Amino acid sequence: MTDSSATVRPDRHAELAAGLAQVRSRVDDACAQAGRNPAEVTMIAVTKTYPASDVLALAGLGVTDMGENRDQEAAGKAAEVAAAGVRPRWHFIGQLQRNKARSVVRYADVVHSVDSVRLARALASATADRPEPLDALVQVSIDGDASRGGALPGSADPGAGLEPVAEAVADAPGMRLVGLMAVAPLGWEPERAFARLAEVADAFRAVHPGATALSAGMSGDFEIAIRYGATHVRVGSALLGMRPTLR
């Protein structure tokens, strides 16, 4: 593997190391308070808008999971990182258009944002030639506002109800249903959002016992998400600092 620390300025490497230490300490403290083992929680470094050199440096510091939410940025970054001899586990965490499915499955190991049967089918078609299944999480709309992304719990909608979407993923030969993802709705306190998500996840696992992953929580609220059972937390600014302006 390439010595990733050599591809980034020493001061930036120190910043990333300090941010990582702080985030890991926060995860450890949150797990201790929740009576959980920190090994149960995967930190995903959300590297959108940050350069490939930051990904390489984080990999050199032991971070194995990276998250991106825009294919037009992620595809090139993943290729640049791979060319440097580094292969993190890539998580696609943003809303995904069906016409991007074929591109995303070329580099992503996990897609967190499957929120419709049509998207599940597009991904299923795109994964036909993958050597290994694509891990997929169904994104849940906690407040029932599907316009912000997310399948609808308890809905019989054949295209966007949680169970129809989950079944479309589970039935796809090239995909593996691993759990649920959610974003706290605008205007909701994290406590309320993640408590509701935990209820949905409990009911979901009763039907899909193997789908135990729960992706929830970001830089400002992941401690609360961990308290309510998050297995994956998506951390950007707390780890990498102020986000560069989107171009």
Side-chain angles (χ1 to χ4, degrees), residues 181-201:
M181 184 273 267
V183 178
L186 294 174
W188 283 44
E189 291 295 324
E191 185 93 21
R192 177 189 177 196
F194 298 136
R196 170 58 181 151
L197 177 60
E199 294 174 354
V200 174

Side-chain angles (χ1 to χ4, degrees), residues 8-84:
V8 67
R9 302 187 322 270
D11 58 333
R12 179 57 174 160
H13 190 268
E15 291 172 0
L16 293 172
L20 179 60
Q22 291 175 355
V23 169
R24 283 177 169 164
S25 178
R26 287 174 60 188
V27 170
D28 288 349
D29 289 347
C31 287
Q33 293 178 18
R36 298 181 60 191
N37 184 341
E40 299 172 0
V41 179
T42 297
M43 184 205 71
I44 300 169
V46 181
T47 53
K48 65 179 184 181
T49 76
Y50 295 98
S53 58
D54 279 359
V55 176
L56 295 171
L58 287 170
L61 290 165
V63 177
T64 58
D65 294 76
M66 311 292 176
E68 291 282 333
N69 74 342
R70 297 193 305 161
D71 175 64
Q72 58 267 43
E73 175 187 353
K77 189 181 299 182
E80 185 176 348
V81 170

Side-chain angles (χ1 to χ4, degrees), residues 194-220:
F194 298 136
R196 170 58 181 151
L197 177 60
E199 294 174 354
V200 174
D202 284 345
F204 188 77
R205 284 191 291 266
V207 181
H208 303 280
T212 58
L214 189 60
S215 173
M218 296 184 284
S219 288

